[in-house]
Amino acid sequence: MQEFIQTIVNGLQTGSLYALIALGYTMVYGILKLLNFAHGDVYMVGAYIGYFVIHWFGGPTALSIPVPLLILIMFALASTGCGLLGVAMERFAYRPLRDAPRIAPLITALGISFVLENTVLLLFGGFTRSYQTESFISATSGIHLGGVTINIVEIMVIVVSVAMMFGLRQIVHRTTLGKSMRAVASDREAAEMLGINVNRTIALTFFIGSAMAGVAGVMSGLAFDQITNTIGFLAGLKAFTAAVVGGIGSIAGAMIGGIVIGLAEAFSLSYISTKYADLIVFGILIVTMLVRPQGIFGRPLLQKV
Amino acid sequence: MAQIGVDDWVAQSGGRRDGGSGWRKLLARADSRLGWWPRLALVTLAGLIAGQLLTNVNLQTVAFNSLLYAMLALGLNIAVGWAGLLDLGYIAFFGLGAYGFAVLSSTATGASGSGGTHLPAIESIPIVILIAGVVGVVIGLIALRLSGDYLAIVTLFVGQAFMEVVNNVDPGTLGGVNGIFGLDSLHSFGSQVTSPLGYYYLALVMTVVLAGILHLLDTSRTGRAWRALRDDPLAASAMTIPVNKLKVMAFSFGAMVGALAGTLFAAEQNTVFPTNFTANILILIYACLVLGGVGSIAGAIAGGLVVTIGEQMLSSPNDAGYLFYGLILIVLVMRIRPWRNLAAVLTGVIGLGFAAHALAGAISSAAVAGAPGSGGSIGSAVRDYVIVPANPATYGNILYVVLICALVVIVRLHGTRRLLAVVPTVYIAACCWEARLIVNPSITTQIMIGAILIVTMAARPQGLLGTHRVETAEQ
C-alpha cells in the first residue's frame, strides 16, 4: 500500500511535468497545425537555465539568497529565456514556411531540435549536471502520511503545474489574446480579415508554450536532479503522447493525458519492468490511436476539401 | 509569306538567350538531350573509375559509406518524397536489416563460440528484406489510421522502440548494448567479399540497380498514384486511387530498401551496435535526402555523396578548413551581385581580419596567443588573421552565440546594410571556427547537419537537384 501511494505521487509529479510540456505542443498544434519537435529541447534549455541560476547565486551548497526567492528567479529567467527562444524559432524558422508543403516545417523542426541539442553540447559539455536539490531543499520535509513522504518538491511541482494550467485556461477563455488565439486556430485567414494580428498572436502562443516548457525544465531539474543535453528528446516524445492521448488542441486533454502517461510510466517502473517503461507508453499511444484517434477530449476532425 | 518554322524560332529565342553562352550553353544543351538511362550509365562509369582510383583503404570506406547513405536516402525517399508520409522510424528498418543479417550470419543464436546460423548472403539477404517488408506492412497498417503528423510521432516511437528492444532483449541473442560482433562476410557460391573495395563495388552495383528499379517505379502508374496521394489524399481517393494500399506499399518498399542497406552495412562493418541506429543517424539520412532534393532519385544519391564526404572532411582538421572557407566563399559569390560589391565585401573581410588581429595583438599579446584549430596550409594562412586567445574555449562559446545572433540579424537586414553586416559576421564565423568549432568536429558536424535541414527548407525547399513543386497548403 505504501509503495502504491508513493507510485501514485511519483506518477502525478512526472505527469504534471509532461502535462506542462504537452500544453506547448497542443497550443502550437492547435494554432498552426505544426508538430514542433523542438519543443522538448526548449524544455531542456529551461533545465539548463535553472542550473546556471543556482550556480550564479553561489551554487547549491552555499546559496546567497533564500530558497523561495531562488526558485522564483529560476522560474522567471527560464520562462523568459525559453519564451524568447520559442518566439525566435517561430520568427526565423517556421514563419517563412507557413504556406509551404506540410512536410517542410516538420523537417525544419527536426533540424532545430538537433541544432539546439548540439549547441548545448558544444557550449556546456555532454556530461550529466546535477542540481543537487537535496543540499538546499530537505528531502524529508513535507507531508507525512503513514509511511509515505510527499516531499516539498513533489508538492511544488504538482501545485505549480496545476496553477499554470489553470492560468492558461483563464488566458485562453477570458482574455482578448485568448480569443484571438482561438480565432486564429479555427481559421487563420478569416481571423486576419477581422483585423486580428495573426503574426503577433502566433508569436505569443509560442512564447507562452515555450515559457511553460521552461518552467517544466526547471522543475524537472529540481525533482529528478540530473540534466543532460538529451533529456528533451524522450520527454518531448512522451509529452506529445500525452497531448495526443488527451486530445490534441484541448487544454484539459493535455492535463489529463499528461497525468495518464505519468501514472502509466510510474506504475510500469515500479510494478512491471524498468526496462520497458517507454515501450508501455508507446503501447498506450498506439492503442489510443487505434481506438480513439481524436483522444479523450478531442472532437473528430472533419476533413475539408 | 511567312516562312515555315519562323514562329517556332521566334518563340524559342527567349529560351536560347536565357540558356547562357559558351560552355554553359553547351552543357545545358547536352544535359537536356541526355535521357535518364544514359545518365545512370554515365554515373555508373564514374563510380567504376572512382573505384579504380581509390587506393587508400580509408577513402574506400568513405566511398562505401557514401553509397550506403545514398541507398538509405533512396529508400527514405519512397515514403517521404513520393508518398508524402513523414517516416521517422526509418532507422528501425535499417537496424532491422543489420540485426537480421547479424543473427543469420554469426554465432549470435547458437551457444557461445560454436554453432549459430551461417546462411549464405543469397539466402539471408532476401529473408531479411522479406521480414522488413512484412514489418513495414504492419506499421503501414497502423499508419493508415493516422494523418501526417500523428504518423510522424508514431514512427518516431517505432525507432525508439527498436532501440529499446535491441538494448534490453537478452544479451545472449541480440548482444544488448555490446552489440553482435564477429559477423561473416557476405558470401555466396563459395566466394566472399572481404575488402572495403569489394564492398564498394557491391554497393555501387546495388545502388545502380536500385536506382533503375526506383526510376521504373517512379514513372509507373504506382509512382504517379503516390504523387497524387502526396499532393492531395482526398482528391486522389476521389479519383479511385487506392490510398490505403498505396500508403502501406510505400512504407513497405521503403522498409525493404532500408533493410537491404542494413545488411550491407552489417556485413561491411562486421559488427552491429545499438548506437549505429540512433536518431542522429536518422537525421543524417534526412539531411542527405533534403539536401539532394526530396522526391528525386538523383538528388537522393547526390545528397548521400555530398553529406558523407562533407562529414568525412569535417572530421579532419586539415580538410575541414577547405570545406568551411570554401562554403563561405561559394555562398558569397553566389549571393552578392554585382561583382563590385562582392570585391568590396571580400576586401572588407580580409582587411578587417588583419586589422583586428593587429589591434588585439597590440593591446594584449595574450589575446592572440592561441593557435588556430585548422592545420596544414589553411592553418598557417589564417594564423595572423583570426584572433584566438591562449585558452579559447569560453571565448569560442561567446563567439558562437554572437555568431548565431549575427546570422539572425542578417536575415532581417536588406540592401547595403546587409552587405555591411556580412563583413563582421564572416570574420566572427572564422574566429569562432578556428577557436571552437573545429576543435569539436563531431559536435560541429551535428550542428551543421541540423543547419542543413533548416537552411535548405527555408532557402531552397526543392534541394540541390529537385524540381520546384507548386502546392496548395490545404489542411
Side-chain angles (χ1 to χ4, degrees):
Chain A
M1 192 61 198
Q2 212 166 306
E3 195 193 353
F4 183 76
I5 295 175
Q6 193 64 56
T7 310
I8 289 187
V9 174
N10 289 345
L12 285 178
Q13 173 184 277
T14 329
S16 8
L17 289 179
Y18 288 154
L20 273 189
I21 311 174
L23 284 174
Y25 271 119
T26 217
M27 284 165 70
V28 167
Y29 193 89
I31 205 162
L32 277 182
K33 301 284 171 290
L34 163 73
L35 186 50
N36 183 8
F37 283 115
H39 194 64
D41 294 291
V42 173
Y43 152 88
M44 178 268 295
V45 171
Y48 269 85
I49 293 178
Y51 175 84
F52 285 109
V53 170
I54 295 180
H55 282 260
W56 202 359
F57 290 107
T61 48
L63 282 175
S64 56
I65 52 170
V67 174
L69 184 62
L70 172 83
I71 291 180
L72 272 186
I73 296 177
M74 279 158 86
F75 283 169
L77 287 184
S79 56
T80 321
C82 291
L84 291 178
L85 180 65
V87 172
M89 250 159 40
E90 193 276 324
R91 177 66 191 81
F92 293 102
Y94 297 137
R95 194 178 294 178
L97 298 177
R98 217 173 267 168
D99 292 319
R102 291 298 299 282
I103 219 166
L106 288 176
I107 292 176
T108 300
L110 275 185
I112 294 178
S113 156
F114 210 53
V115 167
L116 275 181
E117 228 169 76
N118 286 291
T119 297
V120 170
L121 180 63
L122 180 80
L123 298 184
F124 309 126
F127 53 91
T128 306
R129 287 168 189 265
S130 169
Y131 267 53
Q132 296 176 319
T133 317
E134 286 180 13
S135 45
F136 55 93
I137 301 176
S138 160
T140 52
S141 61
I143 304 172
H144 299 270
L145 281 174
V148 185
T149 306
I150 307 175
N151 70 33
I152 287 195
V153 175
E154 283 168 336
I155 296 171
M156 185 196 73
V157 168
I158 297 172
V159 169
V160 170
S161 308
V162 171
M164 287 185 75
M165 289 177 224
F166 186 71
L168 180 69
R169 219 186 120 74
Q170 293 302 102
I171 291 181
V172 170
H173 289 283
R174 294 284 160 81
T175 63
T176 326
L177 170 66
K179 211 179 235 177
S180 37
M181 274 160 69
R182 280 178 291 147
V184 174
S186 88
D187 190 330
R188 199 197 312 148
E189 270 180 23
E192 200 161 14
M193 276 176 222
L194 292 174
I196 292 171
N197 188 340
V198 170
N199 284 339
R200 202 182 64 118
T201 309
I202 292 177
L204 280 173
T205 308
F206 266 86
F207 185 90
I208 296 173
S210 306
M212 294 178 99
V215 172
V218 170
M219 291 202 294
S220 87
L222 290 171
F224 308 131
D225 212 41
Q226 298 197 321
I227 57 172
T228 63
N229 66 322
T230 50
I231 55 172
F233 177 72
L234 259 188
L237 208 54
K238 285 179 191 159
F240 188 80
T241 309
V244 171
V245 169
I248 199 144
S250 146
I251 291 176
M255 292 187 223
I256 303 296
I259 303 288
V260 167
I261 297 295
L263 286 176
E265 199 186 53
F267 275 97
S268 51
L269 277 177
S270 43
Y271 290 101
I272 304 175
S273 153
T274 51
K275 286 178 177 174
Y276 296 111
D278 295 342
L279 286 185
I280 288 169
V281 173
F282 178 47
I284 294 179
L285 176 70
I286 297 283
V287 171
T288 314
M289 292 270 158
L290 295 180
V291 179
R292 198 176 156 81
Q294 72 271 32
I296 301 173
F297 283 87
R299 265 160 285 155
L301 272 179
L302 277 181
Q303 249 185 328
K304 284 182 283 185
V305 184
Chain B
M1 191 181 82
Q3 275 175 292
I4 295 168
V6 163
D7 289 348
D8 284 346
W9 191 88
V10 171
Q12 285 167 0
S13 76
R16 273 199 307 277
R17 219 178 303 136
D18 290 342
S21 58
W23 60 271
R24 203 184 265 186
K25 191 172 169 184
L26 275 176
L27 214 63
R29 192 176 295 169
D31 186 55
S32 67
R33 278 188 192 164
L34 207 56
W36 197 88
W37 294 103
R39 260 184 237 201
L40 185 65
L42 274 183
V43 171
T44 315
L45 194 66
L48 290 174
I49 294 172
Q52 293 295 320
L53 296 178
L54 293 172
T55 46
N56 184 331
V57 176
N58 286 337
L59 288 182
Q60 287 166 357
T61 313
V62 173
F64 169 79
N65 279 334
S66 52
L67 287 178
L68 185 76
Y69 278 100
M71 280 170 79
L72 284 170
L74 280 174
L76 187 62
N77 185 38
I78 301 176
V80 176
W82 290 346
L85 308 165
L86 192 70
D87 177 6
L88 296 178
Y90 184 64
I91 195 75
F93 298 121
F94 178 46
L96 192 69
Y99 268 89
F101 179 80
V103 167
L104 292 180
S105 341
S106 73
T107 55
T109 47
S112 57
S114 66
T117 320
H118 296 272
L119 290 182
I122 197 77
E123 292 171 22
S124 66
I125 291 183
I127 292 176
V128 168
I129 291 180
L130 213 62
I131 293 174
V134 171
V135 175
V137 167
V138 171
I139 294 177
L141 284 175
I142 299 175
L144 283 185
R145 314 265 323 226
L146 315 169
S147 59
D149 306 332
Y150 292 93
L151 174 69
I153 208 82
V154 167
T155 50
L156 191 58
F157 251 122
V158 169
Q160 188 64 26
F162 175 78
M163 287 288 292
E164 304 242 337
V165 168
V166 167
N167 266 321
N168 293 327
V169 162
D170 168 37
T173 324
L174 293 182
V177 283
N178 294 325
I180 305 175
F181 36 88
L183 307 188
D184 304 342
S185 307
L186 278 182
H187 60 97
S188 280
F189 309 120
S191 58
Q192 58 174 346
V193 188
T194 49
S195 67
L197 194 62
Y199 279 104
Y200 167 73
Y201 282 125
L202 192 64
L204 182 67
V205 172
M206 282 191 180
T207 312
V208 167
V209 171
L210 193 63
I213 295 174
L214 289 180
H215 178 68
L216 290 177
L217 196 61
D218 187 25
T219 47
S220 73
R221 213 163 69 117
T222 313
R224 285 195 301 276
W226 270 333
R227 271 169 281 152
L229 165 70
R230 173 193 69 192
D231 289 341
D232 193 336
L234 220 53
S237 74
M239 307 289 278
T240 71
I241 290 174
V243 169
N244 291 349
K245 206 172 113 195
L246 282 165
K247 278 190 190 173
V248 176
M249 263 174 81
F251 246 92
S252 183
F253 281 12
M256 291 203 262
V257 176
L260 175 68
T263 57
L264 209 57
F265 169 75
E268 200 267 350
Q269 193 182 244
N270 255 324
T271 51
V272 285
F273 302 110
T275 47
N276 291 138
F277 312 104
T278 57
N280 287 6
I281 307 293
L282 178 72
I283 306 239
L284 190 65
I285 303 171
Y286 263 92
C288 297
L289 183 60
V290 166
L291 188 68
V294 179
S296 138
I297 292 176
I301 295 177
L305 300 186
V306 170
V307 169
T308 319
I309 293 171
E311 193 196 8
Q312 184 62 31
M313 280 179 82
L314 272 176
S315 64
S316 134
N318 288 350
D319 297 339
Y322 291 104
L323 188 67
F324 177 73
Y325 292 106
L327 211 59
I328 288 186
L329 199 65
I330 290 174
V331 170
L332 289 182
V333 168
M334 281 176 70
R335 296 291 304 214
I336 301 181
R337 297 274 157 78
W339 63 269
R340 260 179 261 105
N341 287 355
L342 178 67
V345 167
L346 286 181
T347 322
V349 167
I350 294 169
L352 174 70
F354 285 109
H357 186 275
L359 197 64
I363 294 169
S364 149
S365 59
V368 290
S374 291
S377 52
I378 289 212
S380 47
V382 297
R383 184 166 295 275
D384 292 327
Y385 176 70
V386 291
I387 302 174
V388 181
N391 189 5
T394 316
Y395 162 81
N397 283 348
I398 296 171
L399 274 191
Y400 178 76
V401 176
V402 173
L403 175 64
I404 289 185
C405 296
L407 287 175
V408 163
V409 169
I410 281 192
V411 175
R412 302 280 294 129
L413 292 178
H414 294 285
T416 321
R417 285 188 190 172
R418 180 183 267 192
L419 279 184
L420 286 177
V422 162
V423 176
T425 307
V426 171
Y427 182 60
I428 292 171
C431 286
C432 182
W433 176 262
E434 298 295 344
R436 193 81 183 99
L437 291 179
I438 187 134
V439 189
N440 294 297
S442 63
I443 304 177
T444 307
T445 313
Q446 313 277 43
I447 292 179
M448 286 182 107
I449 288 169
I452 285 179
L453 292 182
I454 302 174
V455 172
T456 316
M457 275 298 135
R460 198 179 154 80
Q462 71 273 34
L464 293 178
L465 294 177
T467 44
H468 192 59
R469 276 205 274 146
V470 182
E471 246 185 313
T472 51
E474 192 65 54
Q475 289 164 7

